[in-house]
Amino acid sequence: MDSAMQNEMTPEAAAGPLSQNPVPRRKTLSVITPFFNEEASIVECIETLGRIFREQLPDYDLEHIFCDNCSTDQTLGIIKAIAARDPSIKIIVNSRNFGILKNTYNGVLASTGDAVVLFMPADLQDPPELIPEFVSWWEQGFEVVYGIRATREEGIVIKAARRGYYRLLSRLTYVDYPPDVGDFQLVDRKVVEAMRQIDDAQPFMRLMTFDVGFRSKGIEYNWRARKHGTSRNQLSHMFEQGLNGIISFSGAPVRIALLCGFCISLLSVLYALLIAALTVTGHVSAGGGIPTIIISLFFFGGVQLFFLGVIGEYIVAIYNQVRKKPLVIERERINFK
């Protein structure tokens, strides 16, 4: 009877549960797009990312998080209409403009994907066509895949300024940071969780990813010019962001101030000894040197004010940190569970 029952069993039942291959879980990729008054670009951004995922990344789910920095045009209304029929589009609306760095980082912390593209500009200056290549390197085991802006479609002056700043930052910081790397990076979930542990009131993501470590891979690309309008990131804001990167990840300015102070003090002592020797030998009259004194006073006064400003920047950074203010204050979230 037992042999008859075995003959009646189906091949699937005889093989047991080990023969059933479980369906692999689909991975989710999060893409963060901060915006402020981008009504001319936002639809193209959504359509381009959607097409890339449909055609080149069909095995991955998309979580596209848009972070509104209190736009005053129709951008938010356009995205809300699209999000109403597309649950992959998620929106964070800030109560006011908190700046691009805090706005973007808040979106990164809200992401849930297995990997996160930290920054995808609405104007597509950083090419989304590189995301599939980023994903390929990520799947090979690189937790941080970053873009290197090898060429830039912008004016000569601003291009030279950016180039000089990134090389200065690379030399001053204690982090092993390659020049010309921005926030256009794809990072693994474990990197995001490591970044979450850094309690920084002024987050500077492009260095935070290198600060936490992990395996990394760089890919060169051309940083494109804007298709629509002009950048909302004003020169004063860029200067503030650049200064924040140096203050947050380098103690070099204070050490330079210390070295300069020591050198100036040493030169002053040597100069005083020289003047004393010349006065004793009669080569310089005791009543001379008034122009030298006036020039010296202005020079040393300027040096002191400069280095007081350097120290003041670190004090401001400490002040902002100890206040423990939230990154941003949100008015609402859309399509978040």
Side-chain angles (χ1 to χ4, degrees), residues 34 36 69 97-105 119 125-126 149 152 158 161-162 165-166 168-169 172-173 177 181-183 200-208 223 231-250 313 316-317 320:
F36 175 74
N69 230 349
N97 193 323
F98 287 88
I100 187 171
L101 298 183
K102 291 183 176 181
N103 184 34
T104 307
Y105 188 54
F119 176 70
Q125 286 185 279
D126 295 303
R149 294 166 177 170
R152 297 172 179 270
I158 188 66
R162 291 185 194 270
Y165 168 74
Y166 283 121
L168 176 65
L169 182 62
L172 292 182
T173 182
Y177 170 72
V181 175
D183 291 328
D200 197 338
Q202 302 291 331
F204 198 67
M205 284 196 307
R206 65 193 62 182
L207 263 71
M208 290 173 69
W223 193 64
S231 173
R232 275 73 178 178
N233 200 12
Q234 300 176 1
L235 185 62
S236 60
H237 295 162
M238 288 190 288
F239 178 80
E240 181 181 354
Q241 294 161 15
L243 191 59
N244 174 53
I246 295 176
I247 297 299
S248 298
F249 288 90
S250 175
E313 287 294 332
V316 169
N320 289 331

Short mmCIF file of all heavy atoms in Angstrom, two decimals, residues 34 36 69 97-105 119 125-126 149 152 158 161-162 165-166 168-169 172-173 177 181-183 200-208 223 231-250 313 316-317 320:
data_model
loop_
_atom_site.label_atom_id
_atom_site.label_comp_id
_atom_site.label_asym_id
_atom_site.label_seq_id
_atom_site.Cartn_x
_atom_site.Cartn_y
_atom_site.Cartn_z
N PRO A 34 16.18 67.43 -5.09
CA PRO A 34 15.73 68.66 -4.45
C PRO A 34 15.35 69.68 -5.52
O PRO A 34 15.89 69.67 -6.63
CB PRO A 34 16.98 69.11 -3.67
CG PRO A 34 18.11 68.60 -4.51
CD PRO A 34 17.64 67.32 -5.14
N PHE A 36 13.67 73.91 -6.28
CA PHE A 36 13.11 75.21 -5.91
C PHE A 36 12.81 75.95 -7.21
O PHE A 36 13.71 76.32 -7.96
CB PHE A 36 14.09 76.01 -5.05
CG PHE A 36 13.62 77.41 -4.73
CD1 PHE A 36 12.59 77.61 -3.80
CD2 PHE A 36 14.18 78.51 -5.35
CE1 PHE A 36 12.14 78.89 -3.52
CE2 PHE A 36 13.73 79.79 -5.07
CZ PHE A 36 12.71 79.98 -4.15
N ASN A 69 11.80 72.95 -1.61
CA ASN A 69 12.35 73.96 -0.70
C ASN A 69 11.49 75.22 -0.71
O ASN A 69 11.98 76.34 -0.85
CB ASN A 69 13.79 74.30 -1.09
CG ASN A 69 14.74 74.24 0.09
OD1 ASN A 69 14.32 74.15 1.24
ND2 ASN A 69 16.03 74.29 -0.18
N ASN A 97 12.47 77.75 2.91
CA ASN A 97 13.70 77.36 2.20
C ASN A 97 14.82 77.17 3.23
O ASN A 97 15.25 78.11 3.88
CB ASN A 97 14.09 78.44 1.20
CG ASN A 97 15.17 77.97 0.22
OD1 ASN A 97 16.07 77.23 0.59
ND2 ASN A 97 15.06 78.40 -1.02
N PHE A 98 15.31 75.94 3.36
CA PHE A 98 16.36 75.62 4.32
C PHE A 98 17.72 75.45 3.65
O PHE A 98 18.67 75.03 4.31
CB PHE A 98 16.01 74.33 5.07
CG PHE A 98 14.91 74.51 6.08
CD1 PHE A 98 13.58 74.36 5.71
CD2 PHE A 98 15.20 74.84 7.39
CE1 PHE A 98 12.56 74.52 6.63
CE2 PHE A 98 14.19 75.01 8.33
CZ PHE A 98 12.87 74.86 7.95
N GLY A 99 17.83 75.76 2.37
CA GLY A 99 19.10 75.59 1.67
C GLY A 99 19.19 74.22 1.02
O GLY A 99 18.60 73.25 1.50
N ILE A 100 19.96 74.14 -0.04
CA ILE A 100 20.00 72.90 -0.84
C ILE A 100 20.65 71.76 -0.08
O ILE A 100 20.25 70.60 -0.22
CB ILE A 100 20.72 73.16 -2.18
CG1 ILE A 100 20.61 71.93 -3.08
CG2 ILE A 100 22.16 73.57 -1.96
CD1 ILE A 100 21.11 72.15 -4.48
N LEU A 101 21.66 72.03 0.76
CA LEU A 101 22.37 70.95 1.42
C LEU A 101 21.47 70.24 2.44
O LEU A 101 21.37 69.01 2.44
CB LEU A 101 23.63 71.49 2.12
CG LEU A 101 24.69 72.11 1.20
CD1 LEU A 101 25.90 72.53 2.02
CD2 LEU A 101 25.11 71.14 0.12
N LYS A 102 20.81 70.99 3.29
CA LYS A 102 19.93 70.39 4.29
C LYS A 102 18.72 69.74 3.62
O LYS A 102 18.26 68.67 4.03
CB LYS A 102 19.47 71.44 5.30
CG LYS A 102 20.57 71.95 6.20
CD LYS A 102 20.00 72.94 7.22
CE LYS A 102 21.06 73.40 8.20
NZ LYS A 102 20.52 74.33 9.21
N ASN A 103 18.18 70.40 2.61
CA ASN A 103 17.01 69.89 1.91
C ASN A 103 17.31 68.53 1.27
O ASN A 103 16.52 67.58 1.40
CB ASN A 103 16.59 70.90 0.84
CG ASN A 103 15.32 70.51 0.12
OD1 ASN A 103 14.41 69.92 0.72
ND2 ASN A 103 15.23 70.83 -1.15
N THR A 104 18.46 68.42 0.61
CA THR A 104 18.82 67.16 -0.04
C THR A 104 19.09 66.06 0.97
O THR A 104 18.63 64.92 0.81
CB THR A 104 20.07 67.36 -0.93
OG1 THR A 104 19.85 68.46 -1.81
CG2 THR A 104 20.37 66.12 -1.74
N TYR A 105 19.83 66.39 2.02
CA TYR A 105 20.19 65.38 3.02
C TYR A 105 18.95 64.85 3.75
O TYR A 105 18.87 63.66 4.06
CB TYR A 105 21.18 65.97 4.02
CG TYR A 105 21.76 64.95 4.97
CD1 TYR A 105 22.38 63.81 4.48
CD2 TYR A 105 21.71 65.14 6.34
CE1 TYR A 105 22.92 62.87 5.35
CE2 TYR A 105 22.25 64.21 7.21
CZ TYR A 105 22.86 63.08 6.71
OH TYR A 105 23.38 62.15 7.57
N PHE A 119 21.85 62.65 -5.15
CA PHE A 119 21.47 63.95 -5.73
C PHE A 119 21.27 63.79 -7.23
O PHE A 119 22.18 63.44 -7.96
CB PHE A 119 22.56 64.98 -5.45
CG PHE A 119 22.32 66.33 -6.07
CD1 PHE A 119 21.31 67.15 -5.61
CD2 PHE A 119 23.11 66.77 -7.12
CE1 PHE A 119 21.10 68.41 -6.17
CE2 PHE A 119 22.90 68.01 -7.70
CZ PHE A 119 21.90 68.83 -7.21
N GLN A 125 21.63 68.44 -15.02
CA GLN A 125 23.02 68.78 -15.33
C GLN A 125 23.94 67.59 -15.07
O GLN A 125 24.92 67.39 -15.78
CB GLN A 125 23.46 70.00 -14.53
CG GLN A 125 22.87 71.31 -15.02
CD GLN A 125 23.42 72.51 -14.28
OE1 GLN A 125 22.98 72.83 -13.18
NE2 GLN A 125 24.38 73.19 -14.88
N ASP A 126 23.65 66.83 -14.03
CA ASP A 126 24.31 65.55 -13.82
C ASP A 126 23.51 64.51 -14.60
O ASP A 126 22.31 64.36 -14.39
CB ASP A 126 24.35 65.19 -12.34
CG ASP A 126 25.20 66.16 -11.54
OD1 ASP A 126 26.39 66.31 -11.87
OD2 ASP A 126 24.68 66.77 -10.59
N ARG A 149 33.27 65.11 -12.21
CA ARG A 149 32.98 66.10 -13.24
C ARG A 149 34.27 66.44 -13.99
O ARG A 149 34.94 67.44 -13.70
CB ARG A 149 32.37 67.34 -12.60
CG ARG A 149 31.00 67.06 -11.99
CD ARG A 149 30.54 68.17 -11.07
NE ARG A 149 29.21 67.92 -10.54
CZ ARG A 149 28.63 68.62 -9.58
NH1 ARG A 149 29.28 69.64 -9.03
NH2 ARG A 149 27.43 68.32 -9.15
N ARG A 152 33.18 70.57 -17.76
CA ARG A 152 32.02 71.35 -17.34
C ARG A 152 31.60 72.30 -18.45
O ARG A 152 32.45 72.96 -19.07
CB ARG A 152 32.35 72.20 -16.09
CG ARG A 152 32.70 71.39 -14.85
CD ARG A 152 33.20 72.31 -13.75
NE ARG A 152 33.52 71.62 -12.54
CZ ARG A 152 32.67 71.40 -11.55
NH1 ARG A 152 31.42 71.84 -11.64
NH2 ARG A 152 33.05 70.75 -10.46
N ILE A 158 33.90 80.82 -13.53
CA ILE A 158 33.29 79.96 -12.52
C ILE A 158 33.87 78.55 -12.60
O ILE A 158 34.02 77.86 -11.58
CB ILE A 158 31.75 79.94 -12.68
CG1 ILE A 158 31.09 79.20 -11.52
CG2 ILE A 158 31.35 79.32 -14.01
CD1 ILE A 158 31.26 79.88 -10.19
N ALA A 161 37.13 78.72 -10.78
CA ALA A 161 36.89 78.84 -9.34
C ALA A 161 36.51 77.49 -8.73
O ALA A 161 37.02 77.12 -7.66
CB ALA A 161 35.79 79.87 -9.08
N ARG A 162 35.61 76.76 -9.39
CA ARG A 162 35.22 75.44 -8.88
C ARG A 162 36.42 74.49 -8.88
O ARG A 162 36.62 73.74 -7.91
CB ARG A 162 34.11 74.86 -9.76
CG ARG A 162 32.77 75.55 -9.66
CD ARG A 162 31.76 74.77 -10.50
NE ARG A 162 30.55 75.49 -10.73
CZ ARG A 162 29.46 75.44 -9.95
NH1 ARG A 162 29.49 74.74 -8.85
NH2 ARG A 162 28.37 76.11 -10.26
N TYR A 165 38.70 75.36 -6.02
CA TYR A 165 38.13 75.03 -4.72
C TYR A 165 38.20 73.54 -4.43
O TYR A 165 38.59 73.12 -3.32
CB TYR A 165 36.68 75.49 -4.65
CG TYR A 165 35.95 74.92 -3.44
CD1 TYR A 165 36.21 75.40 -2.17
CD2 TYR A 165 35.04 73.87 -3.59
CE1 TYR A 165 35.57 74.87 -1.06
CE2 TYR A 165 34.40 73.33 -2.48
CZ TYR A 165 34.67 73.84 -1.23
OH TYR A 165 34.04 73.29 -0.14
N TYR A 166 37.82 72.71 -5.40
CA TYR A 166 37.82 71.26 -5.16
C TYR A 166 39.23 70.73 -4.89
O TYR A 166 39.40 69.81 -4.08
CB TYR A 166 37.20 70.54 -6.36
CG TYR A 166 35.69 70.62 -6.39
CD1 TYR A 166 35.01 71.18 -7.46
CD2 TYR A 166 34.95 70.12 -5.32
CE1 TYR A 166 33.63 71.26 -7.47
CE2 TYR A 166 33.56 70.18 -5.33
CZ TYR A 166 32.91 70.76 -6.41
OH TYR A 166 31.54 70.83 -6.41
N LEU A 168 41.66 72.56 -3.53
CA LEU A 168 41.98 73.06 -2.19
C LEU A 168 41.33 72.19 -1.12
O LEU A 168 41.97 71.81 -0.13
CB LEU A 168 41.52 74.51 -2.06
CG LEU A 168 41.70 75.16 -0.68
CD1 LEU A 168 43.18 75.28 -0.34
CD2 LEU A 168 41.02 76.52 -0.63
N LEU A 169 40.06 71.86 -1.34
CA LEU A 169 39.33 71.03 -0.38
C LEU A 169 39.98 69.65 -0.27
O LEU A 169 40.12 69.10 0.83
CB LEU A 169 37.88 70.89 -0.83
CG LEU A 169 36.94 70.08 0.08
CD1 LEU A 169 36.84 70.74 1.46
CD2 LEU A 169 35.56 69.97 -0.55
N LEU A 172 43.14 70.05 1.89
CA LEU A 172 42.98 70.47 3.28
C LEU A 172 42.29 69.43 4.15
O LEU A 172 42.59 69.31 5.33
CB LEU A 172 42.19 71.79 3.34
CG LEU A 172 42.86 73.04 2.79
CD1 LEU A 172 41.95 74.25 2.97
CD2 LEU A 172 44.21 73.28 3.45
N THR A 173 41.35 68.69 3.58
CA THR A 173 40.54 67.80 4.39
C THR A 173 41.32 66.57 4.82
O THR A 173 42.25 66.12 4.13
CB THR A 173 39.27 67.37 3.64
OG1 THR A 173 38.48 66.54 4.47
CG2 THR A 173 39.63 66.61 2.38
N TYR A 177 39.57 62.50 -0.39
CA TYR A 177 38.51 63.01 -1.27
C TYR A 177 39.06 63.34 -2.65
O TYR A 177 39.93 64.20 -2.78
CB TYR A 177 37.89 64.27 -0.63
CG TYR A 177 36.96 65.03 -1.52
CD1 TYR A 177 35.70 64.52 -1.84
CD2 TYR A 177 37.31 66.27 -2.04
CE1 TYR A 177 34.83 65.23 -2.65
CE2 TYR A 177 36.46 66.99 -2.86
CZ TYR A 177 35.22 66.46 -3.16
OH TYR A 177 34.37 67.15 -3.97
N VAL A 181 34.47 65.87 -7.40
CA VAL A 181 33.36 64.97 -7.07
C VAL A 181 32.28 65.78 -6.36
O VAL A 181 32.54 66.48 -5.39
CB VAL A 181 33.82 63.82 -6.16
CG1 VAL A 181 32.64 62.97 -5.72
CG2 VAL A 181 34.84 62.96 -6.88
N GLY A 182 31.05 65.69 -6.87
CA GLY A 182 29.92 66.37 -6.26
C GLY A 182 29.03 65.39 -5.50
O GLY A 182 29.47 64.33 -5.07
N ASP A 183 27.76 65.75 -5.37
CA ASP A 183 26.81 64.90 -4.65
C ASP A 183 26.17 63.83 -5.55
O ASP A 183 25.37 63.03 -5.07
CB ASP A 183 25.70 65.75 -4.03
CG ASP A 183 26.21 66.61 -2.89
OD1 ASP A 183 27.15 66.17 -2.21
OD2 ASP A 183 25.68 67.72 -2.69
N ASP A 200 25.49 66.03 12.28
CA ASP A 200 26.09 67.26 11.77
C ASP A 200 25.00 68.25 11.42
O ASP A 200 24.10 67.96 10.63
CB ASP A 200 26.94 66.95 10.53
CG ASP A 200 27.91 68.07 10.20
OD1 ASP A 200 27.66 69.22 10.62
OD2 ASP A 200 28.91 67.81 9.51
N ALA A 201 25.07 69.43 12.04
CA ALA A 201 24.05 70.45 11.79
C ALA A 201 24.15 71.03 10.39
O ALA A 201 23.17 71.57 9.87
CB ALA A 201 24.17 71.57 12.83
N GLN A 202 25.33 70.95 9.77
CA GLN A 202 25.54 71.46 8.42
C GLN A 202 26.07 70.32 7.55
O GLN A 202 27.27 70.25 7.27
CB GLN A 202 26.52 72.64 8.44
CG GLN A 202 26.10 73.80 9.30
CD GLN A 202 24.89 74.53 8.75
OE1 GLN A 202 24.67 74.57 7.54
NE2 GLN A 202 24.10 75.13 9.63
N PRO A 203 25.23 69.40 7.11
CA PRO A 203 25.71 68.21 6.38
C PRO A 203 26.32 68.58 5.03
O PRO A 203 25.76 69.36 4.27
CB PRO A 203 24.44 67.38 6.20
CG PRO A 203 23.31 68.37 6.26
CD PRO A 203 23.76 69.43 7.23
N PHE A 204 27.48 67.99 4.77
CA PHE A 204 28.19 68.19 3.51
C PHE A 204 28.38 66.82 2.90
O PHE A 204 29.41 66.17 3.09
CB PHE A 204 29.52 68.90 3.76
CG PHE A 204 30.13 69.53 2.54
CD1 PHE A 204 29.52 70.62 1.93
CD2 PHE A 204 31.31 69.05 2.00
CE1 PHE A 204 30.08 71.21 0.81
CE2 PHE A 204 31.88 69.63 0.88
CZ PHE A 204 31.26 70.72 0.28
N MET A 205 27.36 66.34 2.16
CA MET A 205 27.27 64.93 1.78
C MET A 205 28.44 64.45 0.95
O MET A 205 28.88 63.31 1.09
CB MET A 205 25.97 64.68 1.02
CG MET A 205 24.74 64.61 1.88
SD MET A 205 23.36 63.85 0.99
CE MET A 205 23.29 64.83 -0.50
N ARG A 206 28.93 65.27 0.04
CA ARG A 206 29.96 64.79 -0.88
C ARG A 206 31.23 64.33 -0.16
O ARG A 206 31.98 63.53 -0.70
CB ARG A 206 30.28 65.86 -1.91
CG ARG A 206 30.92 67.12 -1.38
CD ARG A 206 30.90 68.22 -2.42
NE ARG A 206 29.54 68.58 -2.78
CZ ARG A 206 29.23 69.48 -3.69
NH1 ARG A 206 30.18 70.09 -4.36
NH2 ARG A 206 27.98 69.77 -3.96
N LEU A 207 31.45 64.82 1.07
CA LEU A 207 32.56 64.34 1.86
C LEU A 207 32.14 63.31 2.90
O LEU A 207 32.95 62.47 3.31
CB LEU A 207 33.28 65.49 2.56
CG LEU A 207 34.52 66.02 1.83
CD1 LEU A 207 34.11 66.78 0.57
CD2 LEU A 207 35.34 66.92 2.73
N MET A 208 30.88 63.36 3.32
CA MET A 208 30.40 62.39 4.32
C MET A 208 30.52 60.96 3.81
O MET A 208 30.85 60.04 4.56
CB MET A 208 28.95 62.70 4.68
CG MET A 208 28.77 63.98 5.49
SD MET A 208 27.03 64.41 5.73
CE MET A 208 26.51 63.11 6.84
N TRP A 223 29.68 67.51 -17.05
CA TRP A 223 28.62 68.23 -16.33
C TRP A 223 27.99 69.23 -17.28
O TRP A 223 28.63 70.16 -17.75
CB TRP A 223 29.23 68.94 -15.12
CG TRP A 223 28.22 69.44 -14.13
CD1 TRP A 223 27.37 68.70 -13.38
CD2 TRP A 223 27.99 70.81 -13.78
NE1 TRP A 223 26.61 69.51 -12.57
CE2 TRP A 223 26.97 70.82 -12.80
CE3 TRP A 223 28.54 72.02 -14.18
CZ2 TRP A 223 26.49 71.98 -12.22
CZ3 TRP A 223 28.06 73.19 -13.61
CH2 TRP A 223 27.05 73.16 -12.64
N SER A 231 20.57 79.07 -12.64
CA SER A 231 20.69 78.38 -11.35
C SER A 231 20.15 79.25 -10.22
O SER A 231 20.37 80.46 -10.18
CB SER A 231 22.15 78.03 -11.07
OG SER A 231 22.31 77.51 -9.77
N ARG A 232 19.40 78.61 -9.31
CA ARG A 232 18.89 79.33 -8.13
C ARG A 232 19.91 79.34 -7.00
O ARG A 232 19.70 79.97 -5.97
CB ARG A 232 17.61 78.67 -7.62
CG ARG A 232 16.33 79.14 -8.32
CD ARG A 232 16.21 78.60 -9.71
NE ARG A 232 14.97 79.00 -10.37
CZ ARG A 232 14.69 78.68 -11.61
NH1 ARG A 232 15.53 77.98 -12.34
NH2 ARG A 232 13.55 79.06 -12.16
N ASN A 233 21.02 78.63 -7.20
CA ASN A 233 22.07 78.58 -6.19
C ASN A 233 22.99 79.78 -6.39
O ASN A 233 23.91 79.76 -7.20
CB ASN A 233 22.86 77.28 -6.30
CG ASN A 233 23.61 76.95 -5.03
OD1 ASN A 233 23.39 77.55 -3.98
ND2 ASN A 233 24.51 75.99 -5.10
N GLN A 234 22.76 80.86 -5.67
CA GLN A 234 23.47 82.10 -5.86
C GLN A 234 24.93 81.98 -5.44
O GLN A 234 25.33 81.08 -4.71
CB GLN A 234 22.78 83.22 -5.07
CG GLN A 234 21.33 83.47 -5.46
CD GLN A 234 20.67 84.52 -4.58
OE1 GLN A 234 21.29 85.08 -3.69
NE2 GLN A 234 19.39 84.77 -4.84
N LEU A 235 25.74 82.93 -5.92
CA LEU A 235 27.17 82.91 -5.64
C LEU A 235 27.44 82.96 -4.15
O LEU A 235 28.33 82.25 -3.65
CB LEU A 235 27.86 84.09 -6.35
CG LEU A 235 29.38 84.15 -6.24
CD1 LEU A 235 30.00 82.91 -6.88
CD2 LEU A 235 29.92 85.42 -6.90
N SER A 236 26.68 83.77 -3.42
CA SER A 236 26.88 83.85 -1.97
C SER A 236 26.56 82.52 -1.29
O SER A 236 27.24 82.12 -0.34
CB SER A 236 25.99 84.95 -1.38
OG SER A 236 24.61 84.69 -1.64
N HIS A 237 25.54 81.81 -1.80
CA HIS A 237 25.21 80.51 -1.24
C HIS A 237 26.31 79.49 -1.55
O HIS A 237 26.64 78.66 -0.69
CB HIS A 237 23.88 80.02 -1.81
CG HIS A 237 22.72 80.87 -1.41
ND1 HIS A 237 21.49 80.86 -2.07
CD2 HIS A 237 22.58 81.78 -0.42
CE1 HIS A 237 20.67 81.70 -1.51
NE2 HIS A 237 21.31 82.28 -0.50
N MET A 238 26.86 79.54 -2.76
CA MET A 238 27.94 78.62 -3.11
C MET A 238 29.17 78.88 -2.25
O MET A 238 29.86 77.93 -1.83
CB MET A 238 28.28 78.76 -4.60
CG MET A 238 27.22 78.17 -5.53
SD MET A 238 27.76 78.06 -7.25
CE MET A 238 27.75 79.79 -7.71
N PHE A 239 29.46 80.15 -1.97
CA PHE A 239 30.60 80.48 -1.10
C PHE A 239 30.36 79.92 0.30
O PHE A 239 31.28 79.34 0.92
CB PHE A 239 30.79 82.00 -1.05
CG PHE A 239 31.90 82.44 -0.13
CD1 PHE A 239 33.22 82.37 -0.57
CD2 PHE A 239 31.64 82.89 1.15
CE1 PHE A 239 34.26 82.76 0.27
CE2 PHE A 239 32.66 83.28 1.99
CZ PHE A 239 33.98 83.22 1.55
N GLU A 240 29.15 80.08 0.81
CA GLU A 240 28.83 79.56 2.14
C GLU A 240 28.94 78.04 2.18
O GLU A 240 29.47 77.46 3.15
CB GLU A 240 27.41 80.00 2.54
CG GLU A 240 26.98 79.53 3.91
CD GLU A 240 25.57 79.96 4.25
OE1 GLU A 240 24.97 80.72 3.46
OE2 GLU A 240 25.05 79.53 5.30
N GLN A 241 28.44 77.37 1.14
CA GLN A 241 28.52 75.91 1.09
C GLN A 241 29.98 75.45 1.02
O GLN A 241 30.36 74.47 1.67
CB GLN A 241 27.75 75.41 -0.13
CG GLN A 241 26.25 75.65 -0.05
CD GLN A 241 25.57 75.58 -1.40
OE1 GLN A 241 26.15 75.09 -2.39
NE2 GLN A 241 24.35 76.09 -1.49
N GLY A 242 30.78 76.15 0.22
CA GLY A 242 32.18 75.79 0.09
C GLY A 242 32.93 75.97 1.40
O GLY A 242 33.74 75.12 1.80
N LEU A 243 32.66 77.07 2.09
CA LEU A 243 33.30 77.32 3.38
C LEU A 243 32.88 76.28 4.40
O LEU A 243 33.69 75.82 5.22
CB LEU A 243 32.94 78.73 3.87
CG LEU A 243 33.71 79.28 5.07
CD1 LEU A 243 35.21 79.33 4.76
CD2 LEU A 243 33.20 80.66 5.44
N ASN A 244 31.61 75.89 4.34
CA ASN A 244 31.11 74.86 5.25
C ASN A 244 31.84 73.55 5.07
O ASN A 244 32.15 72.84 6.04
CB ASN A 244 29.60 74.66 5.02
CG ASN A 244 29.04 73.50 5.81
OD1 ASN A 244 29.21 73.42 7.02
ND2 ASN A 244 28.37 72.58 5.13
N GLY A 245 32.16 73.19 3.81
CA GLY A 245 32.89 71.96 3.55
C GLY A 245 34.27 71.97 4.18
O GLY A 245 34.72 70.97 4.76
N ILE A 246 34.96 73.11 4.10
CA ILE A 246 36.30 73.21 4.68
C ILE A 246 36.24 73.19 6.20
O ILE A 246 37.01 72.48 6.87
CB ILE A 246 37.00 74.49 4.18
CG1 ILE A 246 37.23 74.40 2.67
CG2 ILE A 246 38.31 74.71 4.92
CD1 ILE A 246 37.82 75.67 2.06
N ILE A 247 35.30 73.95 6.77
CA ILE A 247 35.20 74.04 8.23
C ILE A 247 34.80 72.69 8.83
O ILE A 247 35.31 72.28 9.88
CB ILE A 247 34.17 75.12 8.64
CG1 ILE A 247 34.63 76.50 8.17
CG2 ILE A 247 33.95 75.12 10.14
CD1 ILE A 247 35.94 76.96 8.75
N SER A 248 33.90 71.97 8.15
CA SER A 248 33.39 70.71 8.70
C SER A 248 34.39 69.58 8.64
O SER A 248 34.36 68.67 9.47
CB SER A 248 32.10 70.30 7.96
OG SER A 248 31.09 71.26 8.12
N PHE A 249 35.28 69.60 7.64
CA PHE A 249 36.14 68.45 7.42
C PHE A 249 37.64 68.78 7.44
O PHE A 249 38.44 68.00 6.95
CB PHE A 249 35.79 67.79 6.08
CG PHE A 249 34.49 67.05 6.11
CD1 PHE A 249 33.31 67.70 5.77
CD2 PHE A 249 34.42 65.73 6.50
CE1 PHE A 249 32.09 67.04 5.81
CE2 PHE A 249 33.22 65.06 6.55
CZ PHE A 249 32.05 65.71 6.21
N SER A 250 37.98 69.93 8.02
CA SER A 250 39.40 70.27 8.08
C SER A 250 39.67 71.22 9.24
O SER A 250 38.92 72.18 9.47
CB SER A 250 39.85 70.92 6.76
OG SER A 250 41.19 71.34 6.85
N GLU A 313 34.37 81.40 12.35
CA GLU A 313 33.63 80.42 11.56
C GLU A 313 33.51 79.09 12.31
O GLU A 313 32.46 78.45 12.29
CB GLU A 313 34.32 80.20 10.22
CG GLU A 313 34.15 81.34 9.23
CD GLU A 313 32.71 81.52 8.78
OE1 GLU A 313 31.96 80.52 8.77
OE2 GLU A 313 32.34 82.64 8.43
N VAL A 316 30.94 79.59 15.07
CA VAL A 316 29.58 79.54 14.52
C VAL A 316 29.16 78.09 14.25
O VAL A 316 28.02 77.70 14.52
CB VAL A 316 29.48 80.38 13.23
CG1 VAL A 316 28.17 80.12 12.51
CG2 VAL A 316 29.61 81.86 13.56
N ALA A 317 30.10 77.28 13.72
CA ALA A 317 29.80 75.87 13.46
C ALA A 317 29.47 75.15 14.77
O ALA A 317 28.54 74.34 14.83
CB ALA A 317 30.98 75.20 12.77
N ASN A 320 25.97 76.33 15.94
CA ASN A 320 24.88 75.68 15.20
C ASN A 320 24.72 74.22 15.63
O ASN A 320 23.59 73.70 15.65
CB ASN A 320 25.16 75.74 13.70
CG ASN A 320 25.00 77.14 13.14
OD1 ASN A 320 24.23 77.93 13.66
ND2 ASN A 320 25.76 77.45 12.10
#
